[in-house]
């Protein structure tokens, strides 16, 4: 079963990796550290607290420009958050997806239930099947099971090889190549970074609007969000 599980998981992850967009709340944004820096370390314990403090220490040393419309600012923010993940030993979004797939599907015996589990994971994680890959994979499974004249089990090496071949055709049709996976993961992280900067900008604007309503600030001009230094709020 391990052989069949490995290449089915790899093929389906490859299909998803090339066409996924992730909502920002499924990653750890800098805004979380800004909001929680005052009390989180005392509430956390052990390894979790260590990871938080490591991440917070990195955020405190980096200048983050809150400008989601500036590709350079988005790229720089993505680099900072990548450093946070590496130093604090946190998963990237693609690693979280991989881990979720492996843990949720390890005991699933048949290919159809496996694909349905993948769909459930996709929906719950906010992934968008923009290219219709799921329907193509189900069609491929239907074709293989029709040829086999029975449901396809994941420990059926011959049947799984047939399904993998069909998945390879899907990847080829969608223009998804295994060697391009690092590029897809980078694009995914940039989309997450942009979404998180948009949330930071929204939070900052709301905070400034609230402050502007106070009597002592009503005559003051609010600064441009891009000029703010998030380190001052941690």
């Amino acid at each position: 079963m391990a052989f069949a599980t490995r290449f089915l998981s790899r093929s389906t992850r490859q299909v998803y990796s090339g066409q996924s967009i992730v909502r920002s709340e499924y990653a750890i944004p800098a805004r979380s550290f800004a909001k929680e820096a005052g009390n989180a370390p005392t509430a956390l314990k052990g390894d979790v607290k260590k990871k938080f403090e490591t991440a917070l220490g990195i955020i405190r040393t980096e200048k983050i420009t809150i400008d989601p419309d500036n590709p350079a600012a988005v790229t720089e923010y993505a680099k900072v958050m990548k450093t946070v993940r590496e130093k604090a030993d946190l998963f990237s979004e693609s690693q979280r997806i991989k881990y979720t797939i492996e843990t949720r599907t390890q005991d699933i015996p048949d290919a159809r239930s496996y694909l349905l589990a993948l769909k459930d994971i996709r929906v719950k994680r906010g992934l968008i099947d923009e290219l219709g890959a799921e329907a193509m994979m189900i069609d491929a499974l239907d074709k293989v099971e029709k040829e086999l004249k029975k449901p396809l089990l994941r420990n059926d090496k011959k049947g799984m090889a047939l399904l993998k071949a069909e998945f390879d055709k899907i990847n080829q049709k969608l223009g998804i190549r295994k060697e391009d996976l690092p590029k897809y993961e980078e694009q995914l992280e940039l989309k997450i970074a942009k979404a998180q900067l948009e949330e930071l900008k929204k939070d900052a604007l709301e905070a400034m609007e609230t402050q502007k309503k106070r009597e002592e600030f009503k005559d003051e001009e609010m600064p441009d969000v891009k000029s703010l230094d998030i380190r001052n709020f941690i």
Side-chain angles (χ1 to χ4, degrees):
M1 179 175 292
F3 169 77
T5 300
R6 277 200 303 272
F7 70 64
L8 177 55
S9 179
R10 183 170 62 247
S11 297
T12 49
R13 283 204 309 271
Q14 184 175 340
V15 170
Y16 279 122
S17 295
Q19 49 103 38
S20 299
I21 297 176
V22 177
R23 294 201 307 253
S24 63
E25 59 262 40
Y26 291 113
I28 301 176
R31 63 196 288 261
S32 295
F33 298 108
K35 287 184 176 182
E36 299 172 9
N39 55 26
T42 58
L44 300 176
K45 296 181 180 181
D47 189 52
V48 176
K49 180 179 179 180
K50 182 179 179 181
K51 289 176 184 290
F52 183 91
E53 291 177 340
T54 299
L56 189 60
I58 295 169
I59 294 294
R60 282 179 171 147
T61 65
E62 299 288 345
K63 174 65 170 71
I64 293 173
T65 302
I66 307 176
D67 188 3
D69 298 319
N70 182 346
V74 172
T75 299
E76 185 59 32
Y77 176 81
K79 288 180 180 178
V80 171
M81 298 314 293
K82 181 179 180 180
T83 300
V84 167
R85 290 194 303 271
E86 291 175 346
K87 297 294 185 181
D89 194 25
L90 301 171
F91 278 171
S92 68
E93 182 60 27
S94 59
Q95 287 172 327
R96 277 194 289 272
I97 293 171
K98 177 182 177 182
Y99 177 78
T100 301
I101 289 175
E102 290 176 347
T103 55
R104 282 277 308 276
T105 64
Q106 61 184 355
D107 296 323
I108 294 178
D110 65 286
R112 189 171 298 275
S113 296
Y114 178 90
L115 292 182
L116 292 176
L118 285 186
K119 180 178 180 179
D120 184 62
I121 292 170
R122 175 186 67 77
V123 171
K124 289 181 177 179
R125 295 197 70 83
L127 295 169
I128 300 173
D129 183 16
E130 291 184 318
L131 303 180
E134 276 177 355
M136 294 181 189
M137 289 191 288
I138 290 296
D139 287 345
L141 176 59
D142 288 340
K143 178 181 177 181
V144 170
E145 289 188 336
K146 183 177 181 180
E147 182 176 340
L148 295 175
K149 298 181 180 179
K150 62 179 182 180
L152 176 58
L153 298 179
R154 294 171 70 196
N155 62 357
D156 181 345
K157 293 183 179 181
K158 178 182 177 181
M160 293 299 292
L162 292 174
L163 185 60
K164 181 184 181 296
E166 293 298 323
F167 283 177
D168 288 342
K169 293 177 184 177
I170 293 173
N171 285 330
Q172 185 176 14
K173 182 177 181 179
L174 297 178
I176 299 172
R177 302 184 305 168
K178 182 179 179 181
E179 55 267 34
D180 290 334
L181 289 183
K183 179 183 71 175
Y184 296 139
E185 291 178 0
E186 181 180 352
Q187 292 172 349
L188 180 61
E189 297 302 333
L190 286 174
K191 287 175 181 178
I192 292 171
K194 181 177 175 64
Q196 290 177 354
L197 282 180
E198 287 171 345
E199 286 296 315
L200 272 172
K201 182 177 180 180
K202 179 183 175 183
D203 286 350
L205 289 173
E206 289 177 353
M208 286 191 291
E209 284 298 321
T210 299
Q211 189 177 44
K212 193 174 182 180
K213 294 176 182 178
R214 296 171 60 181
E215 184 68 23
E216 63 266 39
F217 296 110
K218 67 177 184 179
D219 295 325
E220 289 194 18
E221 184 177 347
M222 292 295 104
D224 187 334
V225 173
K226 289 180 284 189
S227 69
L228 298 177
D229 191 337
I230 193 174
R231 291 171 293 187
N232 296 328
F233 304 96
I234 296 178

